[in-house]
Amino acid sequence: MAVEWGFYGRNEEQKQLASILERNRWFFVKISGRRRIGKTTLAHQAIRTIVPENHRLYIQIPDSDPAGVLSEVRDFYSLFNIPASPPTDLRSLARSLANLVRQGYIVALDEFQYFHRKALYEFTSFLQYEVDQLAAQSDTVKGGLIVLGSLHTEMVAILEDRSAPLYNRITDPIDLMHLNIASVMEILRVHADEDPKRLLFLWNLFEGVPKFYRDCYEQGVLNSDRKSLLERMFFSSSAPLKTEADNWFLRELRGRTDLVLKYVAHNPGCTSGEIKSHANDIGSGTNKQVESYIRTLMDKYRMIERRQPIMAPTGSRRGRIYIKDNFLRSWLHALAIPAASINFKPLDQLIGEADKRLEDAEGYGLERLVWTLYEERSRKGIGDFPLSSRIQGYWDRAGTELDLVALNENDKVIRLGSCKRNAQKLVGDLTKFDGHIDRFLKTFRRFEEWTVEKVAITPEHTEETRKTSIAKGYIPQDLIDLTIGL
């Protein structure tokens, strides 16, 4: 019999929100994070355990005009049996919500970023007036307001821009990040298994987005083989995730920024020069335009990031560009084209092609997973390597490539690692990797007196590859080793 889905992770965020709710005085909380990250679930989990049912109001704001918003508000007032007349305009909406807060209600407004739309923006001024009144009466006001939003740029514009009416009004910000690996492992222990290859496959697809794991659970494929999961989640007629990227990420793009995004997805670790060259080859924009697209995706949408090799000086031109979100990267790299071709090619062939592309994407996914595991283990005091700074990689013009550079400043230990999805290929390349390590250490003489540890990392070592790694002077590590104790 299948185990029911539970609430996983978010222990610290739950405690933070619970302590806010238990103050029994005015608060204005912002919960932000990417789509599907669990903002609404977190709010619901905390509210239902603390706030009486007759003092709760949840409203999901539609992407609409004032009439559409007010119509939706009327329906939610009716659903929650609110003892007040529904508001008739945006000003009376702000006033009505404030009056409910004065009566001890906890009011949650989901998709709050839509109030950044021109047609709705005046609501923020009306709400500012009410919030300031509530703050002035904070000792006697027993309720509070929670706003939730997923579009980073618009939430910042409403709540953090100095010119915005609601600037500096938030009393408690909560920014939800991905579930940590321990929480993902808990999900797999309860609903699937702890096979390291399954962890890599699912994390490379979904990272720490709880809704995606729950979708797989509800479709009965969280414990299935790769191709069955891909078919049910992305290729069947009722596949829940086949439009997810378009609905969340890609519909937000304008102009040719999607060209940049797709190139980075297929070429993780590319440079801005390579992106510009690609755009020139297909006759799409000048170098200046492409640089603008890169900045837009990096600063406005936070979809890509530029990473520097460890020890690189500020402003180094050796930065490499990556897509930040695993799901978006996997979708663009492996799934988008096969999913769009479903009416024109055999289904098995399309799923096989998508799975093959995903395996290719998992090479870089493994690096990110290992970095995340090292940092999580260090944070929890688990394992044998306490970090003194974030994990980084290293590369240079001479062709040196280190997948993992970990520093323990206190004990003067540096750990240098190679990550490969194929364990046999990993150990076969270790002698070559020694050359990369030697060039790195000659470049950075500060590590001459340090203890140097070399690690060979793969999803799952065999007894043979462990012995070979040790014989070549490397510590063998795999995802089984790195998830022990989480």
Side-chain angles (χ1 to χ4, degrees):
M1 185 175 179
V3 179
E4 288 189 8
W5 189 262
F7 183 79
Y8 301 101
R10 306 296 186 212
N11 294 331
E12 293 304 314
E13 294 90 343
Q14 270 191 286
K15 290 177 184 176
Q16 182 182 356
L17 190 51
S19 69
I20 294 167
L21 294 171
E22 290 168 347
R23 289 179 195 160
N24 204 29
R25 67 194 300 271
W26 159 251
F27 61 79
F28 185 9
V29 171
K30 175 200 74 170
I31 303 178
S32 60
R34 58 111 61 216
R35 179 177 160 94
R36 311 297 197 195
I37 204 69
K39 301 179 295 297
T40 306
T41 303
L42 172 66
H44 172 72
Q45 184 76 9
I47 289 172
R48 73 173 185 171
T49 58
I50 296 172
V51 182
E53 190 171 349
N54 62 349
H55 278 76
R56 310 173 193 164
L57 172 61
Y58 169 85
I59 300 173
Q60 184 170 324
I61 305 301
D63 187 3
S64 184
D65 59 10
V69 170
L70 293 168
S71 174
E72 198 79 358
V73 169
R74 178 182 294 272
D75 291 342
F76 278 103
Y77 268 48
S78 174
L79 178 65
F80 282 84
N81 298 311
I82 300 302
S85 299
T88 56
D89 56 27
L90 295 179
R91 185 188 296 274
S92 62
L93 171 59
R95 186 184 309 121
S96 178
L97 296 177
N99 287 336
L100 290 172
V101 169
R102 289 187 180 91
Q103 296 169 39
Y105 273 77
I106 305 302
V107 177
L109 302 179
D110 209 345
E111 304 294 358
F112 188 73
Q113 73 271 1
Y114 290 138
F115 284 116
H116 186 252
R117 303 291 197 262
K118 184 176 180 180
L120 302 176
Y121 191 72
E122 64 176 352
F123 173 77
T124 62
S125 294
F126 301 144
L127 187 62
Q128 176 216 325
Y129 173 80
E130 300 297 342
V131 164
D132 287 347
Q133 297 297 309
L134 291 166
Q137 305 159 2
S138 60
D139 290 338
T140 58
V141 174
K142 305 301 182 184
L145 179 63
I146 301 173
V147 296
L148 307 93
S150 56
L151 297 181
H152 170 75
T153 307
E154 296 187 359
M155 287 292 282
V156 167
I158 295 174
L159 299 170
E160 298 178 33
D161 190 286
R162 289 180 177 274
S163 64
L166 291 171
Y167 172 70
N168 210 28
R169 265 62 179 191
I170 293 294
T171 62
D172 302 271
I174 299 176
D175 294 317
L176 283 195
M177 308 303 287
H178 288 270
L179 289 178
N180 59 23
I181 306 298
S183 299
V184 173
M185 292 299 297
E186 182 184 2
I187 290 171
L188 296 184
R189 277 194 294 271
V190 174
H191 300 290
D193 58 54
E194 298 179 76
D195 183 280
K197 292 178 181 176
R198 185 183 304 280
L199 170 62
L200 176 58
F201 171 60
L202 292 173
W203 193 85
N204 186 63
L205 263 177
F206 305 137
E207 202 166 341
V209 181
K211 181 62 166 62
F212 294 161
Y213 291 92
R214 181 164 188 168
D215 285 344
C216 291
Y217 161 80
E218 291 176 344
Q219 297 295 323
V221 292
L222 190 58
N223 200 29
S224 298
D225 62 89
R226 295 169 62 106
K227 292 183 178 178
S228 296
L229 185 146
L230 292 177
E231 178 178 0
R232 189 70 196 90
M233 302 306 294
F234 296 99
F235 289 91
S236 68
S237 59
S238 58
L241 297 182
K242 66 180 178 181
T243 62
E244 178 66 23
D246 288 331
N247 289 341
W248 171 36
F249 285 110
L250 304 181
R251 69 172 182 170
E252 296 298 318
L253 301 182
R254 300 292 184 269
R256 295 191 178 94
T257 49
D258 58 337
L259 175 145
V260 173
L261 201 61
K262 290 173 184 176
Y263 184 82
V264 178
H266 287 284
N267 301 275
C270 59
T271 65
S272 58
E274 289 168 341
I275 298 172
K276 292 171 186 176
S277 177
H278 170 69
N280 289 336
D281 288 344
I282 62 175
S284 183
T286 65
N287 284 350
K288 189 173 182 180
Q289 285 176 314
V290 174
E291 190 61 44
S292 174
Y293 303 153
I294 293 172
R295 285 198 304 271
T296 296
L297 288 168
M298 196 173 297
D299 300 334
K300 181 177 181 181
Y301 295 111
R302 300 205 302 180
M303 292 183 180
I304 64 176
E305 61 183 343
R306 181 181 275 113
R307 295 182 187 166
Q308 298 288 351
I310 195 166
M311 308 296 179
T314 303
S316 167
R317 298 175 65 85
R318 286 190 286 151
R320 291 179 174 180
I321 298 173
Y322 301 85
I323 289 182
K324 294 179 68 172
D325 187 89
N326 278 9
F327 180 81
L328 179 60
R329 179 173 54 84
S330 293
W331 172 258
L332 291 174
H333 180 90
L335 294 162
I337 298 302
S341 306
I342 195 166
N343 294 321
F344 306 101
K345 297 184 74 172
L347 181 60
D348 287 348
Q349 185 178 335
L350 290 172
I351 295 172
E353 176 65 23
D355 192 31
K356 183 179 178 182
R357 294 184 184 188
L358 276 175
E359 288 184 352
D360 177 52
E362 284 169 15
Y364 171 64
L366 175 62
E367 286 183 33
R368 287 199 65 218
L369 178 55
V370 168
W371 289 16
T372 305
L373 281 165
Y374 258 77
E375 291 173 2
E376 187 168 327
R377 292 172 70 81
S378 177
R379 190 166 53 247
K380 295 183 175 182
I382 299 172
D384 63 344
F385 202 88
L387 293 167
S388 55
S389 59
R390 292 188 68 84
I391 295 236
Q392 291 178 262
Y394 178 78
W395 55 91
D396 62 22
R397 292 186 179 90
T400 307
E401 290 276 347
L402 302 179
D403 299 329
L404 177 144
V405 181
L407 303 180
N408 174 358
E409 295 271 1
N410 291 336
D411 300 318
K412 296 292 187 286
V413 181
I414 182 170
R415 183 170 286 188
L416 306 172
S418 177
C419 302
K420 280 189 170 56
R421 191 175 179 277
N422 184 302
Q424 292 294 338
K425 191 172 188 308
L426 171 73
V427 298
D429 287 346
L430 290 181
T431 301
K432 180 180 177 181
F433 191 68
D434 281 338
H436 295 261
I437 292 175
D438 289 342
R439 288 193 298 274
F440 174 84
L441 294 174
K442 286 177 182 177
T443 301
F444 298 104
R445 298 292 185 180
R446 61 168 292 196
F447 298 117
E448 285 182 345
E449 304 300 322
W450 287 42
T451 300
V452 177
E453 297 179 347
K454 302 184 292 186
V455 285
I457 306 173
T458 193
E460 188 172 13
H461 272 291
T462 65
E463 183 177 350
E464 177 189 353
T465 60
R466 283 186 181 275
K467 288 180 178 178
T468 303
S469 299
I470 294 169
K472 293 187 176 185
Y474 284 77
I475 302 169
Q477 283 189 326
D478 60 19
L479 296 181
I480 297 174
D481 300 323
L482 293 173
T483 53
I484 289 174
L486 290 181

